[in-house]
Amino acid sequence: MAIAFRKQVDADTEIALWRIEEDADTLYHKLQLNEQEKAYVDQLANGKRHLHWLGTRVLLRTMLDTTNYIDCRIDTHGKPYLYDMPYHISLSHSFDYAAVMISKSRPVGIDIEQIKQKVERIAPKFLRHEEQAAIDADNKIAHLYVCWCAKEAIYKCYGQKEVSFLDNIALERFPFTAEGSLQAHLHKGELHIDYKVDFLQYEDYMIGYVKA
């Protein structure tokens, strides 16, 4: 399958989704991997985790439109980066989809989640009381997923560990729509960063994405 959805965010930033319909062997043969990457893939049990790793890399290769080897590494905080290409990247996946965001100028973060009822049970673990109070009762589950995806996207964009969704990332009140944006703030010690997070619903998935 080719790219299922693609959006140009600005002149040098875009996001895309890949619906993973291929088997692992088909995805594997779309990639160039070094020996370390091959060994890592061999360690992954066949299943969604295997397909997700391959799917995000196939999508990244497709977006970068290159036949050269892509040296995609993971830093000490778990953030993926390209060693010898001038792009910031962020990767995500959920069930049947892989998602990638790339930018030539600034750090980025993207998160995709399939919309499920379970998010309501964990909402108090990632939303403050005032954030929970702002949720649209008529669209509660989808609205909660916007909040989760926004905080996850910010976490990935910031790119360092030891950030609490509950204590360090605050969302301003925003109305629920199928596509829109919200204002958010990351506070940690002396650090204060403001973000504008975009979001959209695609089929039964929610996507949040942000550029620093």
Side-chain angles (χ1 to χ4, degrees), residues 111 113-135 139-155 163-172 174 182 184-185 206:
D111 187 51
E113 302 288 342
Q114 189 175 43
I115 298 171
K116 295 192 169 193
Q117 295 291 324
K118 67 179 182 179
V119 72
E120 189 172 5
R121 298 196 305 272
I122 65 170
K125 295 182 179 181
F126 69 90
L127 290 181
R128 306 176 189 196
H129 293 301
E130 60 270 26
E131 292 171 329
Q132 294 182 60
I135 297 297
N139 298 280
K140 187 173 186 179
I141 301 304
H143 203 164
L144 287 171
Y145 268 105
V146 175
C147 296
W148 173 269
C149 289
K151 293 196 175 191
E152 180 71 26
I154 289 169
Y155 176 83
V163 170
S164 165
F165 284 18
L166 183 65
D167 300 324
N168 300 128
I169 303 176
L171 307 180
E172 294 186 11
F174 66 98
L182 61 92
H185 314 279
M206 191 63 68

Side-chain angles (χ1 to χ4, degrees), residues 148-208:
W148 173 269
C149 289
K151 293 196 175 191
E152 180 71 26
I154 289 169
Y155 176 83
K156 290 181 174 181
C157 185
Y158 175 57
Q160 296 187 31
K161 295 178 180 178
E162 299 179 357
V163 170
S164 165
F165 284 18
L166 183 65
D167 300 324
N168 300 128
I169 303 176
L171 307 180
E172 294 186 11
R173 180 184 290 265
F174 66 98
F176 173 78
T177 55
E179 183 171 1
S181 62
L182 61 92
Q183 301 298 317
H185 314 279
L186 191 155
H187 302 284
K188 185 182 178 187
E190 298 298 316
L191 178 71
H192 301 280
I193 306 176
D194 298 326
Y195 292 94
K196 173 181 172 288
V197 185
D198 293 301
F199 62 88
L200 64 91
Q201 184 170 341
Y202 181 84
E203 298 177 349
D204 60 337
Y205 290 79
M206 191 63 68
I207 304 158

Side-chain angles (χ1 to χ4, degrees), residues 14 56-57 60 63-64 70-74 79-83 85-92 99-104 106-110 156-157:
E14 66 174 328
T56 53
R57 269 65 182 182
L60 178 62
M63 293 174 74
L64 295 174
I70 297 174
D71 193 352
C72 181
R73 304 185 184 185
I74 305 296
K79 184 177 177 65
Y81 69 97
L82 299 179
Y83 180 72
M85 297 183 74
Y87 289 90
H88 299 273
I89 65 170
S90 183
L91 314 177
S92 186
V100 171
M101 185 173 187
I102 64 174
S103 176
K104 292 180 180 178
R106 302 291 294 276
V108 292
I110 190 170
K156 290 181 174 181
C157 185

Side-chain angles (χ1 to χ4, degrees), residues 31 33 37 40-41 44 49-57:
L31 296 172
L33 302 177
E37 290 166 332
Y40 178 77
V41 171
L44 295 175
R49 187 180 176 204
H50 193 192
L51 290 171
H52 286 156
W53 193 95
L54 294 169
T56 53
R57 269 65 182 182

